[in-house]
């Protein structure tokens, strides 16, 4: 089965849009919660932890939200990778499934100029923000992302592990993995799958 050449990038953009919208809505409901970071983008591969401080021009929300494509497998029973032989003029119902990673980073409390560690209050506030961010990402994938497809049943995907990352440098956050069944079409005439 052939793929639209833009399907991977477009799916990553849909994921980014859903998560950013949910972070914005969550910030409006939860006092003190930052919204969608001013640095939000689809990136090529694992993101660099460049900017969780939010030195964005004309923006108030610190952090970094990224989505990246991590790989693809063939599946005839989504989400299980197939080991079926392909290319022998058979009509196996093989579909592509792509893995994506959403990474959301925020500033993490660190030592002050006198070398003192962060206070328990600073650590607790950072932990609260991280927990609310984790819930917002989960909600975006459960409520927004399924409706981004024209397919009758919406996007077909499997949520992978969500885990805490960091603190590293001055950033901490969450990483969410998911595998999405990509839409494909028949090969152009004269080509076989």
């Amino acid at each position: 089965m052939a793929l639209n050449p833009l399907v991977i990038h477009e799916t990553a953009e849909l994921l980014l849009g859903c998560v950013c919208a949910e972070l914005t809505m969550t910030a409006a409901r939860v006092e003190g919660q930052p919204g969608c970071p001013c640095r939000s983008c689809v990136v090529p591969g694992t993101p660099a932890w460049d900017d969780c401080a939010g030195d964005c021009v004309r923006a108030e929300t610190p952090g970094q939200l990224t989505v990246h494509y991590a790989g693809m497998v063939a599946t005839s029973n989504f989400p299980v990778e197939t080991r079926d032989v392909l290319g022998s003029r058979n009509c196996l119902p093989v579909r592509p499934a792509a893995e994506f990673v959403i990474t959301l980073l925020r500033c993490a409390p660190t030592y002050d100029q006198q070398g003192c560690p962060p206070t328990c209050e600073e650590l607790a506030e950072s932990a609260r923000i991280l927990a609310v961010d984790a819930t917002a990402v989960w909600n975006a994938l459960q409520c927004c992302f399924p409706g981004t497809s024209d397919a009758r049943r919406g996007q077909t995907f499997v949520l992978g592990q969500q885990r805490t990352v960091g603190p590293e440098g001055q950033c901490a956050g969450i990483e969410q993995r998911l595998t999405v069944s990509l839409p494909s079409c028949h090969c152009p005439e004269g080509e076989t799958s």
Side-chain angles (χ1 to χ4, degrees):
M1 300 299 251
L3 283 172
N4 172 336
L6 295 173
V7 71
I8 293 171
H9 185 74
E10 289 171 349
T11 303
E13 290 282 351
L14 291 170
L15 287 165
L16 183 70
C18 281
V19 172
C20 194
E22 185 63 35
L23 289 169
T24 300
M25 288 189 297
T26 301
R29 291 190 307 261
V30 178
E31 186 177 339
Q33 183 69 21
C36 185
C38 54
R39 184 172 172 84
S40 300
C41 44
V42 173
V43 296
T46 305
W49 289 29
D50 293 329
D51 186 8
C52 63
D55 297 332
C56 306
V57 178
R58 298 179 307 275
E60 298 176 9
T61 306
Q64 176 175 287
L65 170 64
T66 61
V67 175
H68 77 273
Y69 163 72
M72 186 171 9
V73 298
T75 179
S76 55
N77 183 21
F78 182 76
V80 180
E81 181 179 359
T82 187
R83 291 292 183 211
D84 296 334
V85 175
L86 304 176
S88 59
R89 296 186 184 254
N90 52 12
C91 293
L92 294 172
V94 177
R95 298 188 63 142
E99 183 180 22
F100 294 91
V101 182
I102 300 164
T103 306
L104 176 58
L105 302 173
R106 303 283 192 189
C107 296
T110 187
Y111 288 91
D112 65 17
Q113 292 178 349
Q114 289 77 35
C116 297
T119 66
C120 286
E121 291 79 13
E122 291 170 325
L123 293 170
E125 177 63 7
S126 180
R128 182 196 64 78
I129 289 170
L130 184 129
V132 173
D133 280 342
T135 303
V137 170
W138 182 269
N139 290 343
L141 296 175
Q142 292 294 309
C143 302
C144 172
F145 186 59
T148 61
S149 170
D150 293 335
R152 187 169 55 97
R153 295 185 180 182
Q155 291 284 4
T156 304
F157 64 100
V158 174
L159 284 173
Q161 180 184 26
Q162 185 183 92
R163 66 186 188 97
T164 302
V165 291
E168 191 173 308
Q170 295 181 349
C171 302
I174 59 140
E175 178 183 271
Q176 173 71 60
R177 293 182 170 270
L178 72 154
T179 303
V180 180
S181 178
L182 298 176
S184 55
C185 57
H186 295 288
C187 293
E189 201 165 313
E191 295 180 23
T192 59
S193 61

